[in-house]
Amino acid sequence: MDTDQIVPKQFLKLTSKTGYGKYLFYDWRFDSEGRPRSDFVLNDPKYAGRQILLARDNFGSGSSREHAAWAILDYGFRAVIAPSFADIFYNNCSKNGILAVRLAAEQVDYLFENHDQDISLDLPNQTVVAGNLKASFEIDEFRKKVLLEGLDSIGLTLKLGKEISAYEARNRVAPPT
Amino acid sequence: MAEKLTEPNFLPPVYFISPFGLFFHLQNLPPATIFEKIWNEHIVYQEPGGPSLLYIDRHLVHEVTSPQAFDGLREKRRKVRRPDLTYATMDHNVPTSNRSLPIVDQTSAVQIQTLAKNCSEFGITLFDMKSPDQGIVHVIGPELGLTLPGTTIVCGDSHTSTHGAFGAFALGIGTSEVEHVLATQCLWLDRPKTFAVTLTGKRKNPHAVTAKDMMLYVIRKIGTAGGTGHVLEYRGDAISDLSMENRMTICNMSIEAGARAGLIAPDTTTIDFVRGRRYAPKGEHFEKASEYWESLASDPNAKFDKSVEFNVSSLPPQVSWGTNPGMVADVTENVPDPTEYSAGNENERKAAIRALEYMALDPGTPITDIKVDRVFIGSCTNSRLEDLAEASIVVKGRKVSPSVRAMVVPGSQQVKLEAERLGLDRIFREAGFEWRESGCSMCLGMNPDILSPGERCASTSNRNFEGRQGSGGRTHLVSPVMAAAAAIEGRFVDVREWL
């Protein structure tokens, strides 16, 4: 699933970060007349209000557009579970407070097969529990801390201003000539 | 003594300054890959057991992924730390038709004006739509000498991997990270793993089988997630034989293999390309910088986390048949059967069935029986002078098939001007191609150049995702010479028969 499908290019022209939920999976959700496609999962009323998006391998591949993460969040999802994610998309998720969880393919298969079961996601303990499944997932400590505490990562980095200035002085970083 | 960056008063890396440092460097460091050397050289701060804060030497900015980042700075009353290391252009949204006319699409116009306002407010150099240096950000960076070996380069665009062709660590980032780099000139990164992709062998017909074919083949073999979490280093005689323009085509599509970045060690080809460019170092400084650049190549015993090797000597031209860049066949083959293609993987089989349905192709159809309606020669993958010159050889003296609409979109104003000086525009126009202004154009359908639903396009771009070139449009990824030949015949042909 590439980010062109998550938010098609015609919706990238806005200059805001909000309001992309209605464009999420646009070409899969709506036909060429803009009518909901009855065979697309998000159009089934029983899935309304769900907060965890289940996906397959290499989710979020392709374009770096952060609009994909903004759309997922704006639609109401708080977390995405997949066997693997594309690198840029994975970063974009954590920058927006979306928890991207990697599980083994069989575990994701189980969640797809039992998609009516409640899934509980525990970030501090790094576990996913649903029915008979009790799985743990990996996340690096830094990312976890930023997600849990909702930290402003630019603010954190600016506290390292001295180190950055020292690097610039040491390496004589000067503009191109 | 080697010099690291580019500036007239630029001092060598710190460990070269002290004789003990030099001794330590030569005696005790384990063999390293070029990527590891660049990485280590740019660490500003290391979070114990966590990510590294890396210094960014060049930040390239365009209109689509930057407005929210500048808004974020304003909200927090933050400045751009190094406007002097930040360069912007307009490429994704710009129309490629007459530049003197106003932009019809109001949302595009607003995004373009927003970039101009932001650059002026924050003091960033902008190559705007009227600039003779405007072009696709990944074409103009190298052209202007902003892209230099040994540097770290970021841009809010996944195809930033292109710049890796110069032996730079260049990667695409999201908008939050764009804001972070604007504010701090640094980026937090977990160190990616290393992946050696070795290509060997002399191509029998290097005009007909290009870097694009080599890279489509690599993606076909390692898969669209094969490079996830890795930096690919392209090596081997088939890589060192390539021109810089072809190397850029290879590195450009690293992201299509899922990689964080791709790079090629600098050599004399690289140095000759960079010499004399506007923002490249000059004179003595250039000579010193070149020595440093040549020292960056991976050490002979350097270890890679992963490696593959392919011989490309008898590689045929490649054509994508599906809806991801790993769904690729030789031009001499047929559209595959989903069951055979998937080799037992059920999700792959379903993806291939959906892809063939979207592409309106039947398994077993010879690739050369596929007819095209549109041909697009352009994009950050294949819009440089050499791409256009090679395609013009195929086109010269021939006519575009009456059922095909074909366009050439130079990657930059400089490419366009140079091509016109060489008369390439006349060759294309006389054959029936449209000759356009520079920009991303039909690579991603954010500007007026799009496919209509159901239209099929032979495209020199990088992504064949559903709807990429316009909702319902069908994209086949090929090289410039393959695209040119498809324009003439109205279907795919094995261009080896023509060249």
Side-chain angles (χ1 to χ4, degrees):
Chain A
M1 177 57 72
D2 58 79
T3 55
D4 272 81
Q5 309 313 313
I6 300 175
V7 181
K9 74 277 163 208
Q10 63 267 35
F11 306 117
L12 303 187
K13 293 179 183 176
L14 304 177
T15 53
S16 63
K17 277 190 182 182
T18 53
Y20 292 92
K22 52 186 176 291
Y23 310 130
L24 180 68
F25 298 117
Y26 191 87
D27 289 340
W28 295 53
R29 261 164 83 194
F30 303 104
D31 65 16
S32 53
E33 310 287 313
R35 289 174 306 225
R37 293 179 194 268
S38 58
D39 59 347
F40 187 62
V41 58
L42 291 188
N43 291 328
D44 185 336
K46 93 174 196 194
Y47 298 111
R50 299 241 176 150
Q51 295 188 315
I52 299 175
L53 180 63
L54 277 183
R56 299 290 186 186
D57 258 323
N58 203 21
F59 188 77
S61 65
S63 161
S64 62
R65 58 187 71 169
E66 197 161 319
H67 311 67
W70 298 333
I72 286 171
L73 189 68
D74 192 55
Y75 186 86
F77 290 116
R78 306 284 310 282
V80 188
I81 301 176
S84 61
F85 294 93
D87 294 326
I88 303 176
F89 176 80
Y90 186 77
N91 280 339
N92 286 343
C93 280
S94 53
K95 299 284 178 193
N96 289 282
I98 301 166
L99 177 59
V101 174
R102 297 187 189 99
L103 290 184
E106 315 81 74
Q107 294 170 335
V108 174
D109 284 343
Y110 175 87
L111 294 176
F112 266 101
E113 286 155 18
N114 300 280
H115 57 258
D116 287 327
Q117 230 144 29
D118 281 345
I119 300 176
S120 74
L121 261 179
D122 181 341
L123 175 56
N125 293 311
Q126 298 176 214
T127 57
V128 179
V129 178
N132 297 327
L133 177 79
K134 189 168 190 317
S136 58
F137 62 91
E138 297 284 319
I139 182 167
D140 68 78
E141 285 302 319
F142 188 75
R143 200 181 297 270
K144 182 171 161 180
K145 188 175 160 199
V146 169
L147 273 171
L148 283 173
E149 299 176 22
L151 298 173
D152 164 21
S153 70
I154 297 178
L156 284 180
T157 309
L158 287 173
K159 287 188 187 151
L160 294 168
K162 235 192 251 171
E163 282 80 358
I164 302 172
S165 296
Y167 178 92
E168 286 174 329
R170 192 163 75 231
N171 289 280
R172 289 284 181 93
V173 177
T177 49
Chain B
M1 187 146 300
E3 188 159 357
K4 186 189 150 200
L5 257 183
T6 58
E7 294 71 35
N9 53 5
F10 206 86
L11 280 181
V14 66
Y15 54 72
F16 284 130
I17 297 171
S18 135
F20 301 106
L22 178 62
F23 179 78
F24 177 83
H25 178 67
L26 294 180
Q27 297 298 312
N28 289 330
L29 287 184
T33 65
I34 173 172
F35 163 68
E36 289 159 337
K37 294 180 194 183
I38 299 172
W39 177 273
N40 291 337
E41 196 54 50
H42 285 84
I43 296 177
V44 171
Y45 174 80
Q46 179 64 50
E47 179 79 19
S52 311
L53 188 66
L54 282 206
Y55 199 80
I56 302 302
D57 295 315
R58 299 284 183 272
H59 186 187
L60 307 175
V61 173
H62 66 84
E63 76 277 21
V64 177
T65 57
S66 66
Q68 297 86 351
F70 286 110
D71 282 348
L73 293 183
R74 268 189 292 267
E75 272 168 35
K76 295 268 167 76
R77 297 176 184 278
R78 286 172 176 151
K79 286 194 273 194
V80 174
R81 183 181 177 93
R82 297 300 301 258
D84 54 336
L85 303 180
T86 310
Y87 291 82
T89 193
M90 300 154 168
D91 54 5
H92 284 61
N93 273 346
V94 299
T96 61
S97 50
N98 191 339
R99 284 276 151 92
S100 60
L101 299 174
I103 298 174
V104 179
D105 178 349
Q106 280 312 300
T107 49
S108 289
V110 167
Q111 218 171 42
I112 285 167
Q113 289 154 7
T114 303
L115 179 64
K117 269 190 243 158
N118 285 331
C119 287
S120 123
E121 181 182 336
F122 289 94
I124 294 167
T125 304
L126 168 69
F127 306 108
D128 69 10
M129 274 178 66
K130 301 247 159 57
S131 165
D133 298 315
Q134 181 272 345
I136 304 174
V137 63
H138 309 310
V139 175
I140 69 170
E143 204 167 68
L144 295 170
L146 289 168
T147 304
L148 294 174
T151 56
T152 49
I153 304 175
V154 298
C155 173
D157 189 282
S158 60
H159 289 107
T160 309
S161 58
T162 313
H163 308 264
F166 291 80
F169 174 44
L171 72 163
I173 55 178
T175 298
S176 296
E177 292 175 319
V178 168
E179 185 180 337
H180 190 281
V181 176
L182 288 171
T184 68
Q185 201 57 32
C186 293
L187 188 63
W188 288 106
L189 283 169
D190 296 308
R191 195 171 91 171
K193 294 179 176 159
T194 53
F195 189 163
V197 177
T198 305
L199 300 181
T200 61
K202 281 249 175 280
R203 284 164 292 148
K204 290 192 187 78
N205 186 340
H207 292 288
V209 182
T210 69
K212 181 65 163 284
D213 303 293
M214 288 160 58
M215 193 56 198
L216 285 170
Y217 184 76
V218 168
I219 301 164
R220 172 184 175 180
K221 288 295 170 189
I222 72 174
T224 54
T228 304
H230 290 74
V231 170
L232 310 185
E233 182 184 337
Y234 304 97
R235 306 153 60 82
D237 59 303
I239 292 293
S240 46
D241 278 354
L242 295 175
S243 67
M244 282 318 294
E245 306 198 343
N246 272 299
R247 292 181 192 185
M248 286 188 249
T249 301
I250 298 264
C251 290
N252 172 272
M253 291 188 76
S254 302
I255 184 71
E256 270 62 64
R260 206 71 185 91
L263 46 65
I264 296 170
D267 58 11
T268 49
T269 306
T270 322
I271 289 163
D272 290 345
F273 185 99
V274 174
R275 185 181 284 113
R277 304 236 163 220
R278 188 184 311 166
Y279 293 105
K282 307 289 183 310
E284 192 193 327
H285 302 289
F286 183 84
E287 300 314 318
K288 283 187 178 169
S290 307
E291 269 180 52
Y292 173 66
W293 296 340
E294 286 194 291
S295 78
L296 287 171
S298 294
D299 296 328
N301 299 322
K303 298 248 186 312
F304 290 87
D305 296 301
K306 239 165 128 173
S307 56
V308 290
E309 184 168 333
F310 303 110
N311 186 302
V312 297
S313 54
S314 51
L315 183 73
Q318 304 288 297
V319 181
S320 77
W321 50 263
T323 53
N324 77 48
M327 293 173 164
V328 168
D330 296 348
V331 66
T332 50
E333 291 181 317
N334 300 336
V335 173
D337 176 81
T339 307
E340 282 167 40
Y341 168 76
S342 63
N345 180 322
E346 185 54 17
N347 290 331
E348 288 281 315
R349 194 180 71 88
K350 282 188 195 155
I353 290 171
R354 182 178 166 107
L356 290 186
E357 193 180 318
Y358 182 86
M359 295 295 288
L361 291 172
D362 295 321
T365 307
I367 297 289
T368 50
D369 279 1
I370 300 173
K371 292 196 174 81
V372 300
D373 311 299
R374 303 283 295 269
V375 168
F376 170 57
I377 299 180
S379 86
C380 59
T381 314
N382 279 128
S383 64
R384 297 175 183 83
L385 191 64
E386 187 180 327
D387 298 316
L388 308 190
E390 291 285 317
S392 77
I393 297 170
V394 172
V395 167
K396 195 170 186 174
R398 295 184 165 115
K399 291 283 180 208
V400 169
S401 163
S403 60
V404 172
R405 180 179 167 197
M407 54 170 72
V408 181
V409 184
S412 70
Q413 288 296 307
Q414 286 197 25
V415 168
K416 179 168 183 267
L417 202 68
E418 186 58 16
E420 288 172 356
R421 201 183 60 79
L422 297 172
L424 304 185
D425 59 322
R426 278 202 312 281
I427 295 175
F428 284 113
R429 280 195 169 120
E430 279 166 16
F433 279 83
E434 295 170 35
W435 179 255
R436 318 272 298 190
E437 299 291 338
S438 52
C440 296
S441 184
M442 215 158 74
C443 176
L444 84 168
M446 280 197 71
N447 50 74
D449 306 343
I450 54 171
L451 295 181
S452 301
E455 273 190 323
R456 187 181 296 284
C457 181
S459 178
T460 65
S461 56
N462 39 56
R463 288 186 178 138
N464 49 349
F465 298 146
E466 289 184 19
R468 172 82 179 177
Q469 296 190 291
S471 298
R474 297 170 179 140
T475 304
H476 294 273
L477 304 175
V478 287
S479 73
V481 287
M482 281 290 289
I488 306 298
E489 286 294 314
R491 61 179 178 83
F492 290 111
V493 291
D494 186 343
V495 74
R496 287 176 299 182
E497 293 159 14
W498 292 24
L499 288 167

